[in-house]
Amino acid sequence: MLIGVPAEVKDNEFRVALTPAGAMDLTGGGHQVVIQAGAGRGSGFFDEAYAQAGARIVESPEEAWSADMVLKVKEPLTEEFERMRGEQVLFTYLHLAAEHECARQLRERSVTAIAYETVTGPKGLPLLAPMSEVAGRLAPQVGAYHLMQSQGGSGLLIGGVPGTRAAKVVVIGGGKAGEQAAMIALGMGADVTVIDLNIERLRELSVMSSGGVTTLASNTLTIADEVAAADLVIGSVLVPGATAPKLVTSEMVARMRPGSVLVDIAIDQGGCFEGSRPTTHAEPTFSVGEQIYYCVANMPGAVPHTSTSALTNATLPHVFALANKGWRQALREDPHLANGLNVHAGEIVYPPVAEALGVDAPSLETILGR
């Protein structure tokens, strides 16, 4: 199969969908790989390394997009829509519940779109997990930075020093990203609370942190009280494929201390704070009243070398399955990979995305011919 890897065009997105090591494995397996020139530079992977791995370097994005299967990191943007074509397989993060125009273009162009974030596994979402880990670990770091008075924050050191108080960090959502955020914040010396609906998950987090993290069952009153007392709130609520629920209202935020910071990891899915709107690495924050919002929609893009390697590690077995067997047979044989199918033949296939977009989803069994 001819596999194409274009350069990402999203603002300050330095990740690439495939490492040279991954390209070598694919070419060694009998597939052809074309990489747009410079696609890996931002991640520290240069054209020479890809060429040595057996990939062919192409100058234009159109050449990279001419492949049978296109691997990307982020959803296609406006300038890429015209490069998509019917019967092409697109394998990338899509987050279509929050990307209505991209969903429309994929449907109109009859692309077979498989989303990393809805592929399942025996223990959750294996292709989302590495980026959730990266975003979760980054969240306290960027939160601590924006708490500095030079960045408009309250001037609080997240871990404090003896004789002063540590920052109160509230993590809403105890999944993979929330877990990582809580553990990093705890390691930085913060006073950490995690809020989640799943009591069993809260037990796991309590044991994992040796009781260092306070765990609270989620309800509106608890969220309101904890947000009001927080210096840093990290939102990491995920409903796979669907729009994130707005759990933190603007009224709750208004009760926070001036210079408090909110980091919305869920912004790819629309955000879990009422006041959230997507931002970029170039302009990562905005203020509402006296509080600071950080809502960068591609947080892992800030550390592209780590993120690209972690992403390739997770996606490559699925890329091989799709390339070796064809997408339809690969999905027939692997129900977890089949859950990644979001768009095919002009229809939204994944039910939560279809519901978010107000359309009906056809039967997956009908599409795969089971």
Side-chain angles (χ1 to χ4, degrees), residues 12-23:
N12 282 282
E13 178 53 77
F14 299 114
R15 289 174 291 178
V16 63
L18 190 68
T19 61

Side-chain angles (χ1 to χ4, degrees), residues 37-316:
R41 185 181 301 122
S43 293
F45 300 117
F46 299 96
D47 292 347
E48 294 81 3
Y50 286 107
Q52 290 172 6
R56 179 164 56 92
I57 309 301
V58 296
E59 291 299 324
S60 70
E62 287 77 14
E63 290 177 279
W65 275 93
S66 67
D68 304 312
M69 178 165 62
V70 172
L71 305 181
K72 277 180 52 61
V73 178
K74 295 299 292 179
E75 73 282 348
L77 299 185
T78 302
E79 66 190 83
E80 298 175 297
F81 292 157
E82 64 182 18
R83 298 169 190 152
M84 303 188 299
R85 57 186 177 79
E87 302 303 315
Q88 186 175 63
V89 175
L90 174 64
F91 197 26
T92 186
Y93 288 116
L94 287 170
H95 301 289
L96 294 180
E99 297 289 344
H100 293 202
E101 180 58 21
C102 182
R104 186 177 73 83
Q105 293 288 337
L106 289 168
R107 295 179 69 188
E108 287 186 359
R109 297 170 191 276
S110 295
V111 176
T112 296
I114 302 172
Y116 294 155
E117 73 272 9
T118 63
V119 173
T120 56
K123 296 182 179 180
L125 303 170
L127 306 192
L128 189 62
M131 296 304 98
S132 294
E133 290 171 339
V134 171
R137 292 185 178 208
L138 275 175
Q141 181 175 315
V142 298
Y145 177 75
H146 289 287
L147 277 172
M148 295 194 304
Q149 191 176 61
S150 60
Q151 302 305 309
S154 61
L156 189 67
L157 179 64
I158 194 168
V161 295
T164 72
R165 76 174 182 90
K168 179 175 175 61
V169 177
V170 174
V171 180
I172 302 176
K176 183 58 69 175
E179 168 198 302
Q180 297 296 310
M183 296 307 160
I184 294 297
L186 185 65
M188 295 171 77
D191 172 12
V192 183
T193 297
V194 178
I195 301 174
D196 198 276
L197 281 170
N198 188 329
I199 304 300
E200 186 56 39
R201 179 57 176 158
L202 293 177
R203 289 194 181 98
E204 292 173 357
L205 292 171
S206 182
V207 171
M208 189 181 301
S209 67
S210 299
V213 169
T214 299
T215 58
L216 295 174
S218 181
N219 58 67
T220 301
L221 181 59
T222 295
I223 291 174
D225 288 346
E226 290 298 309
V227 166
D231 300 293
L232 169 61
V233 178
I234 298 171
S236 58
V237 178
L238 174 69
V239 179
T243 304
K246 304 289 187 184
L247 298 182
V248 176
T249 67
S250 297
E251 182 181 357
M252 294 176 187
V253 174
R255 295 172 56 199
M256 297 176 73
R257 284 181 285 270
S260 299
V261 176
L262 299 99
V263 177
D264 198 341
I265 297 175
I267 193 64
D268 276 331
Q269 295 291 106
C272 59
F273 306 148
E274 184 182 8
S276 291
R277 57 176 171 81
T279 61
T280 68
H281 290 291
E283 297 183 21
T285 64
F286 61 91
S287 296
V288 176
E290 297 182 283
Q291 286 73 41
I292 299 167
Y293 286 73
Y294 179 100
C295 303
V296 175
N298 58 329
M299 284 181 66
V303 286
H305 188 85
T306 297
S307 298
T308 290
S309 296
L311 182 61
T312 297
N313 290 343
T315 60
L316 194 58

